[in-house]
Every structure is written in structure tokens, then in C-alpha cells.
Amino acid sequence: NLVDIPVMDSLRKSWVWSGDYRKDIETEERRLNVAGKMMKAFKKGRLLGGAALFIGTDQDPSKPLDPEAIPKGGLKHLTVLTRLQLNAGEIDLNPQSENYGSPKDYTISTPTKQLTIHPSHLVLFNGDERADNIATGSETGWPGMSVIQATHDVIANSQGAISSVASLIYEANIDVLKIPDLSANLQSGIDGENAVLQRIRLAALSKGINGMLAIDAEETLERRSASFSNMAPLLETFAVFVAASGQIPATRFLAQSPSGLVSTGESDMKNYYDLVGSKQK
């Protein structure tokens, strides 16, 4: 949800063209599946920290793209590539360059050769922006990082809470079998210990999950139940933290009604869609 929801909200209304060539453009968009490819690249960019649409034409991809030289129908395809496939080249460190802080080119290995791609042939979709866009050392050269990386700790805590609650289900009912002289039997040596363990195994075997249990008249059985009354609000709180870490309102992330006194959720949703609007631009 952290990856998909902002993407779907940004692209679900698509866009509208106007003018004399509107129908021709819309026909080309359907042929190239522009909306579908954009959504796929947007999602992969958020998940992996970088993705791109490769604009396929007959022009040399290692040279700057010249849109004016593309004839009608000359846009062959749009290919989704991720940062795992596209290797960023040398970073442009010239402060007078419009491409400052970004790779001068990208390379991709094919079964037969290595292809160099000029950035003008790519529409880049980056994840969360790094504090320093100029990658150094072992960094890949992509200016973004996965949105999951920034929310990792919150997600890990939420998963841990869910796992802990799930494990409690198996201990919702705990049977306590009180055996007379248990301590004395355990201290009497290996024979006494084996006798006690054998008694417990026979009790578990005879009872099963909901079966009848036969015990000695001097033995007693107690059932202690765990309380789950506060578990749901606790898990919901962890889910709200996950939503907040991704800048998504809980009402949208969890598909639930607003909570709290005189709360309508309108303010949260307005702020969220303002954020979505900035991504659309």
C-alpha cells in the first residue's frame, strides 16, 4: 500500500488532450500503453528507488534525443527499466550544467552487447529523494531511494507486533494441571521425572484440542485464558504509524472511517491530495 496507493491516486484520473490532434495523440497513447507503462514505472521507482521509461526510436540512444526528428509513428515503444537493470554512469559535477548531480549516461547489458543510453531518452521515476543527490562511493548513481527504506523501522515494528499477537492465539487457553507431590517426584530421580513427563504426555494425548480429560481425583485442572480486548487498538495504532511514515492518511491507507472527536478526515485528505497534486505536476 505504501508503494501503490500514491501511484494509483496520482494516475487514476489520467489526463485529457485538446486541439486538432487530440484523437491522433490518444490513439498513439493506447498503442504505446502510456498510462499502463507510467504506472508500472512509477510503482517500481517507489519500490526500488529508481525506474525509467526508455523512449524507443530509430535514433542512436547514446546521443541526445531530437524530438523534432521523430516522424509520425516513429516512437516505437516505451520500455520500463529499473535501477537494477540501468547502471548509472559518471555523475555530472559541473555546476554550470543543467544536468548537474545526475548521471551523464546510463548503460544496460543485453545478451549481445552493452547499450549506452543518453538521459534524454529516459523518463526517470525516482523514489524518495536522498539528502545528497550526488551519489558517491558505492552508491548506484540514482538520486532516489526506496520509499520502504525510510519506513523500514516502523514497518518492522508493526510486523513484530502482528507476529506477537498471532503467537498469542496459540496460547489463548492455557491448561494448568496440578499434580500432587510434583516437586517430590521430580526430585526423586530419573524414574520420578520420567513418570511425571509420561503423565503429562498421556494427559495431552487423551485431551487433544477439545476432548475429554480423565485425571486422578487428587489432581485438578485449571484453564487460564489470555485477554485480547486491547489487541485491536494496539495493532491499529501500529498501522497508523506505518501510514503516517508514508504520508498517507489512515482513512485512505486502512480504508476506514475517520476517528476522534468531531473528526471528518477532510483536512487530512486535502493535505494528502495536495501532495498527490505536486507529484502529478
Side-chain angles (χ1 to χ4, degrees):
N1 283 350
L2 286 176
V3 173
D4 292 350
I5 286 178
V7 175
M8 292 185 292
D9 288 344
S10 297
L11 298 177
R12 64 181 177 179
K13 289 187 177 180
S14 188
W15 48 84
V16 177
W17 293 98
S18 61
D20 297 336
Y21 299 101
R22 176 176 61 85
K23 291 185 178 180
D24 291 338
I25 295 175
E26 291 175 347
T27 299
E28 281 295 278
E29 284 192 335
R30 287 193 295 270
R31 178 180 70 84
L32 296 167
N33 188 21
V34 175
K37 294 294 181 66
M38 282 187 64
M39 180 170 289
K40 185 176 181 180
F42 199 172
K43 287 183 179 181
K44 288 182 178 293
R46 286 178 56 81
L47 177 62
L48 301 174
L53 281 178
F54 174 47
I55 304 172
T57 67
D58 290 332
Q59 297 182 25
D60 184 353
S62 64
K63 300 294 192 304
L65 179 68
D66 183 4
E68 299 297 332
I70 302 176
K72 183 177 180 179
L75 207 167
K76 304 298 182 182
H77 57 81
L78 296 175
T79 304
V80 178
L81 301 171
T82 71
R83 63 183 297 172
L84 303 179
Q85 300 165 300
L86 274 176
N87 298 313
E90 180 184 358
I91 304 299
D92 189 347
L93 299 178
N94 180 10
Q96 294 181 314
S97 171
E98 62 179 4
N99 199 40
Y100 173 74
S102 299
K104 294 181 179 179
D105 54 36
Y106 296 82
T107 58
I108 182 172
S109 297
T110 68
T112 57
K113 62 179 180 178
Q114 181 171 286
L115 188 66
T116 300
I117 304 175
H118 189 272
S120 59
H121 292 260
L122 300 170
V123 181
L124 299 177
F125 293 81
N126 296 309
D128 283 347
E129 187 176 0
R130 297 178 185 272
D132 184 2
N133 286 344
I134 303 178
T136 58
S138 60
E139 295 292 350
T140 61
W142 287 80
M145 61 181 180
S146 172
V147 297
I148 304 299
Q149 185 174 343
T151 60
H152 176 270
D153 291 344
V154 179
I155 294 175
N157 290 337
S158 179
Q159 289 178 329
I162 293 173
S163 299
S164 298
V165 172
S167 66
L168 288 177
I169 295 176
Y170 298 99
E171 298 184 8
N173 293 307
I174 302 175
D175 293 333
V176 180
L177 181 62
K178 297 182 178 181
I179 303 175
D181 302 323
L182 175 62
S183 297
N185 289 330
L186 291 175
Q187 294 174 3
S188 63
I190 189 66
D191 292 337
E193 182 179 341
N194 288 337
V196 171
L197 293 177
Q198 182 64 15
R199 174 70 188 95
I200 296 174
R201 280 194 293 267
L202 289 174
L205 182 63
S206 63
K207 181 178 183 299
I209 298 177
N210 296 311
M212 180 182 67
L213 174 63
I215 60 176
D216 190 272
E218 297 182 0
E219 295 177 332
T220 58
L221 178 67
E222 291 184 4
R223 168 162 289 188
R224 298 178 181 177
S225 300
S227 175
F228 293 91
S229 59
N230 297 323
M231 294 301 178
L234 178 63
L235 293 180
E236 183 176 335
T237 300
F238 276 103
V240 170
F241 287 156
V242 174
S245 68
Q247 297 180 307
I248 303 174
T251 51
R252 177 71 178 92
F253 188 74
L254 302 176
Q256 65 179 16
S257 301
S259 59
L261 295 176
V262 296
S263 175
T264 64
E266 291 182 4
S267 176
D268 291 343
M269 294 305 296
K270 181 181 184 302
N271 292 335
Y272 169 65
Y273 283 115
D274 285 345
L275 177 64
V276 168
S278 68
K279 294 181 183 295
Q280 289 174 323
K281 293 178 182 179

